Amino acid sequence: MDAFFRQLEEQKRQLEDLAQPPAPPAPPVAPPDGGGGSSIPPMEARLSEVEKAIVRIDASLGGLATKADVMEASQGTQRWMIATVVGMMIGFGGLFLAMSNALKQVAPAVSPQPPTAPPIIINVPSAATPPVAPAPLPATPNLPAPPR
């Protein structure tokens, strides 16, 4: 775990070193012998190097997008996205309507028939059976005889 934190601290120091601008070069110093400045490049040569660097920077900046270019591209993309969403909604709505109509159950067409008279129903009684004689009543001995 300590190795991990040491590595993390090292990476942090490296990022801080990269974030700081480089130190400007030290001004040339005349040699101590008072010589003719042979170690100091002439000012015109240094200035021409700076001018060449500026020309290179200007050439590379010419191809970069401006704020207006970025806004125009984002608005074009936004319009395209909105048009796509609206088109998809219309397409799915049409698909829904087509499928709902295709799945409807259609009642079969009924051909008109001429009116018919109601059927005649005749009830026939069942075959007649001979009448059955009633059973005689039991005689009761205790009752008086009927008057005549």
Side-chain angles (χ1 to χ4, degrees), residues 7-148:
Q7 184 181 9
L8 190 63
E9 287 295 324
E10 179 64 30
Q11 289 177 354
K12 184 177 176 183
R13 270 189 245 113
Q14 288 175 357
L15 286 174
E16 288 173 355
D17 291 343
L18 289 174
Q20 295 176 356
V29 179
D33 62 351
S38 62
S39 66
I40 301 174
M43 184 60 78
E44 291 83 23
R46 291 178 67 193
L47 200 56
S48 69
E49 292 296 322
V50 170
E51 288 173 348
K52 289 177 187 175
I54 289 174
V55 167
R56 279 195 316 259
I57 291 172
D58 284 340
S60 66
L61 289 178
L64 297 179
T66 62
K67 187 175 183 180
D69 293 337
V70 172
M71 289 299 291
E72 181 181 334
S74 68
Q75 288 175 353
T77 303
Q78 185 179 14
R79 286 187 199 124
W80 180 82
M81 292 290 286
I82 290 172
T84 301
V85 169
V86 168
M88 287 179 67
M89 289 180 139
I90 291 171
F92 280 120
L95 180 65
F96 173 75
L97 289 175
M99 291 305 294
S100 64
N101 283 336
L103 295 176
K104 276 186 187 174
Q105 293 184 357
V106 179
V110 179
S111 62
Q113 297 178 355
T116 58
I120 300 173
I121 300 173
I122 301 173
N123 292 325
V124 178
S126 61
T129 58
V132 179
L137 294 174
T140 54
N142 298 337
L143 291 179
R148 282 192 191 211

